Amino acid sequence: MPHRLAFLTSVNRLLDWQDEELTEATLQVLVNAPDLEGAAERAGLFDPGQRFDPALAREAVVALPPSLSAGLLATVISALERRLAVVVQWKQASGFELQLWESVDDEVGAVGVLVLSPRGQDMVPGAGTA
């Protein structure tokens, strides 16, 4: 669990909508990325020296079904373009699911993203097999 928490903390720091310069840089990375894995790669989330294992983080991102991956990326881009706070969270589940919610009042608001997925070797096809 510490690995997952460290990864999500890094993702949420990257989405700091209050830092205008960071938001613009992040948007450019996300908008020009071919997919969620490419966005995470270009944002440096898989670089060595993280507080989490970049290889495990990549496996988790790649394991997401394409529709959820595309939905997550589109949601984050939409929120950042409108300067809304974005918080990404994860919860263990028996299958994959993406839950989204948005609360906006006079152009101030937030978007919440909850990714539900199997945990560990159940999440990555073929992982943990000898």
Side-chain angles (χ1 to χ4, degrees), residues 31 90 97 99 112-113 121:
V31 167
W90 172 85
E97 188 175 334
Q99 294 182 5
V113 178
Q121 63 189 21

Side-chain angles (χ1 to χ4, degrees), residues 15-36:
L15 303 177
D16 182 2
W17 62 277
Q18 293 177 322
D19 183 333
E20 189 71 28
E21 196 172 302
L22 179 61
T23 298
E24 279 305 314
T26 301
L27 266 173
Q28 289 305 309
V29 166
L30 298 180
V31 167
N32 293 313
D35 54 23
L36 187 61

Side-chain angles (χ1 to χ4, degrees), residues 40-109:
E41 177 79 48
R42 292 177 182 186
L45 288 172
F46 302 143
D47 291 352
Q50 303 285 356
R51 292 184 357 218
F52 53 85
D53 183 339
L56 291 176
R58 182 184 300 275
E59 286 179 5
V61 169
V62 170
L64 288 175
S67 60
L68 270 65
S69 180
L72 175 56
L73 184 58
T75 298
V76 169
I77 290 170
S78 172
L80 290 179
E81 285 176 338
R82 296 177 293 137
R83 300 304 188 257
L84 299 176
V86 182
V87 177
V88 179
Q89 299 175 314
W90 172 85
K91 183 177 178 183
Q92 183 176 343
S94 59
F96 290 94
E97 188 175 334
L98 185 62
Q99 294 182 5
L100 309 170
W101 59 97
E102 180 172 327
S103 177
V104 180
D105 183 21
D106 295 329
E107 297 184 29
V108 175

